[in-house]
Amino acid sequence: MAPIPRFDRIVQAARYIDPLFLQTPLVRDDALDRMLGCRLLAKIELANAIGSFKGRGAELFCATELAAAEAVCCASAGNFGQGLARAAARRGHACTVFAACDANPVKVEAMRRFGARVVLEGDDFDAAKDAARAHAAEDDLRYVEDGAEAAIAEGAGTVALELLRDADFDTLVVPLGNGALLAGIATVLRRLAPTVRIIAAVAAGAPAMKLSLDAGHVVATARADTIADGIAVRAPIAATLDYLRSCCDASVAVSESQIFDAMRLIHRHLGHDVEPAAAVGVAAVLAQPLHHAGRRVATVLTGANLSGPMRARLLAG
């Protein structure tokens, strides 16, 4: 059975989530609006212990889905691993995270700081995922796949409840990795704001999710080459694909230059330094300006965990 999030559980989710992840601000800037040709509303998911929105879903999952002292194992590019490590440690669960050998060192160190045992294995995120799944089976650990657990998407769906409380908007652009954020947000918007257009944004260098949405079946790619490591998916999750197709009205692939240009705009006009995956919503506006002209466009700035070289490049610009 597909792990489909439920609206009623999203409504109740906040009671299980550490408040530091909730009630995040929504910001805009007149000069940025003039540059983009639309009214941009940015939901800021950065000022928390793990520097990303992933704590919402990890908190809900650990609070509601685990037996006492049940150990967990996952794969992560870094942000979900931080969220799961922190949420698990707070509740007495051991956590092992597999990450690719070239994973962002800032994220790797943070996962360890929050108490995870981190294993670096594989050339990319999907290879690390294969290793994590095998390790969990061998050691009888609960394997947790971000994007394949309804509770994780339900935690992410609280973002949409806050957005609807704070603003009116015509379009929402959602960064798309394994799909928990899209699934959670869309479950809310389809119920409470069905006229809002939902666009899923991927990196052109990691197009597997867009290709799969367009084809109606899983299309894996040989590589995922993008600076946006948080959404660098090579092999989509088959069980969630049909639901994700119902969650968006369109999808867009953005270039590496558009991602970095969006990071610079966010830095200059909104005063936040975001990691590449967090900027793809703004990059999608840059990629298709006529689609958004004159409209109220919301997006989620999903994470702030830049690698050292990427931070230096951003600040140098």
Side-chain angles (χ1 to χ4, degrees), residues 258-290:
Q258 287 164 343
I259 294 171
F260 190 71
D261 286 346
M263 293 170 65
R264 287 193 295 191
L265 289 174
I266 293 164
H267 170 75
R268 291 172 181 172
H269 294 280
L270 301 181
H272 292 284
D273 298 340
V274 300
E275 61 189 85
V280 296
V282 176
V285 178
L286 293 175
Q288 297 181 321
L290 295 180

Side-chain angles (χ1 to χ4, degrees), residues 71-221:
V72 296
C73 178
C74 75
S76 177
N79 287 350
F80 178 68
Q82 289 181 64
L84 188 64
R86 183 181 183 275
R90 278 170 23 94
R91 295 168 175 83
H93 304 280
C95 177
T96 300
V97 181
F98 280 71
C101 292
D102 64 350
N104 178 344
V106 171
K107 294 180 180 181
V108 170
E109 175 55 32
M111 290 188 287
R112 290 180 172 139
R113 187 170 65 250
F114 287 120
R117 172 179 173 250
V118 180
V119 180
L120 301 181
E121 187 168 336
D123 293 333
D124 59 19
F125 166 69
D126 287 288
K129 186 187 291 189
D130 291 340
R133 188 182 292 109
H135 177 75
E138 181 178 341
D139 284 22
D140 195 27
L141 306 176
R142 174 71 178 269
Y143 176 61
V144 186
E145 187 170 15
D146 184 17
E149 296 281 354
I152 295 172
E154 288 157 0
T158 58
V159 170
L161 294 176
E162 294 174 17
L163 274 168
L164 291 175
R165 179 202 64 201
D166 293 341
D168 294 320
F169 48 94
D170 307 302
T171 303
L172 179 62
V173 188
V174 183
L176 178 59
N178 271 321
L181 183 61
L182 174 61
I185 282 179
T187 298
V188 172
L189 293 185
R190 296 306 198 206
R191 174 71 70 93
L192 300 180
T195 62
V196 170
R197 182 171 172 80
I198 304 173
I199 298 175
V202 307
M209 289 300 297
K210 176 173 170 53
L211 294 174
S212 299
L213 291 174
D214 291 346
H217 58 81
V218 169
V219 179
T221 56

Side-chain angles (χ1 to χ4, degrees), residues 5 182-184 186-187 190 198-199 242-249:
L182 174 61
T187 298
R190 296 306 198 206
I198 304 173
I199 298 175
D242 283 346
Y243 188 67
L244 291 177
R245 293 186 79 209
S246 74
C247 288
C248 59
D249 300 292

Side-chain angles (χ1 to χ4, degrees), residues 202-208 225-226 231 252-256 258-259:
V202 307
D225 293 320
T226 176
I231 57 170
V252 60
V254 297
S255 70
E256 300 295 281
Q258 287 164 343
I259 294 171

